[in-house]
Amino acid sequence: MSEQVSLGRFCAYFLRLGTLGFGGPIALAGAMQRDLVEEHRWIDREDYVQGLALAQLAPGPLAAQLAIYLGWIRGGVAGATLVGIAFVLPSFVMVLGLSAAYVAWGGLRPIQALFYGIGAAVIGIIAKSAARLTRTTLKKDPLAWAIFAVLAAVTALTGREIVWLVLVAGALAMAAKGGIGRTAAATVSFALPAALATGLRDAASPDLLLRIFLFFAKAGAFVFGSGLAIVPFLYGGVVKELGWLNERQFLDAVAVAMITPGPVVITVAFIGYLVAGLAGATAAALGVFLPVWLFVVLPAPYVRRLAARPSVTAFVLGVTAAATGALAGAVVVIARGAIHDVPTALIAASALVIVWKTKTPEPLVVAVAGGLGLLLFRG
């Protein structure tokens, strides 16, 4: 039986976790189990396990979904909302600071040198994430491996994640195992003073802010797997389709997510800031996390029945295999822009070996790579 705790104290825990929690979704989920279930006994083990199952079934970042569900257990919709804000806010604020510095000084040689090394290291880290996802999600399922191979090849060749193929993968898995599934997302529009809506270009219009919100809401609604699974979807959209960022800027955005705590998908705030300043960062963050919140709060009362349905697990198998394949393909695509000489190739390879073979924290790997960039950059 869990012990009673005030919602304020519960939220304070997630504010601290969002401020200090490095290591990705698995590490963050593990910290929640250790602290909330085993140490403080604020959450029953059964509730934690059910929240983890829901986070694995629904689209979006696993750690944020689990946090929101545990907030719902403690305080209903209000608890889910406040915990979600507390968990995401610290990394959002950090990313805003890094974004402002990047916009102000991004053209300076030291900044370029830092991201020369960091961008290469990020390739190694993403490659390791893709391999780990492949190993843990596909197992020995032939259909999952076939879906993975197709999406990896398509993403590598086209340079973007094709959403309808991901949905077809889910439907194909359901056809093989039985069932149907649906997803939904909500959208809003707002306008802010022009001074708050200026990124790398001129002041953003309300129409651009709405487009930013809608794009990232779609990303939050249709991306399954770890936080890094959103990378190929974002790359295809913001670089290839919409042209909001170039390849170098996009890779820098992923790097920023690596060196800040909390959910990896906070990289969307950096992208939004570059496109439309503070207003763009806010629109992007609201867009990507609103579907995540909805996909937790709406099914929360029915999570036990949902998790047990073969049709739901079949759909998730299909889309997760597709998302994992897209991530593997994205490693190839993004590497073309980050690895362009011998030093960056060596940094990427070294980063992959270090995160694969040791327990070195990824932020430390990124920091060392930035230092190497300062030493080796000749641009």
Side-chain angles (χ1 to χ4, degrees), residues 237-301:
V238 304
V239 177
K240 293 294 186 179
E241 181 181 345
L242 300 169
W244 286 341
L245 302 184
N246 60 37
E247 293 195 7
R248 177 77 261 168
Q249 292 163 342
F250 179 80
L251 195 61
D252 293 346
V254 177
V256 164
M258 294 291 183
I259 61 177
T260 53
V264 174
V265 293
I266 202 61
T267 188
V268 304
F270 185 89
I271 295 171
Y273 192 99
L274 297 193
V275 178
L278 176 60
T282 304
L286 287 174
V288 82
F289 283 108
L290 180 58
V292 173
W293 181 85
L294 288 172
F295 284 135
V296 173
V297 171
L298 295 182

Side-chain angles (χ1 to χ4, degrees), residues 192-254:
L192 290 175
L196 299 178
T198 303
L200 292 176
R201 301 176 179 84
D202 296 331
S205 65
D207 178 67
L208 177 58
L209 294 177
L210 177 59
R211 289 170 60 204
I212 291 172
F213 179 90
L214 293 175
F215 172 78
F216 287 107
K218 184 169 68 172
F222 290 108
V223 174
F224 287 75
S226 78
L228 282 174
I230 202 172
V231 168
F233 183 93
L234 296 182
Y235 179 85
V238 304
V239 177
K240 293 294 186 179
E241 181 181 345
L242 300 169
W244 286 341
L245 302 184
N246 60 37
E247 293 195 7
R248 177 77 261 168
Q249 292 163 342
F250 179 80
L251 195 61
D252 293 346
V254 177

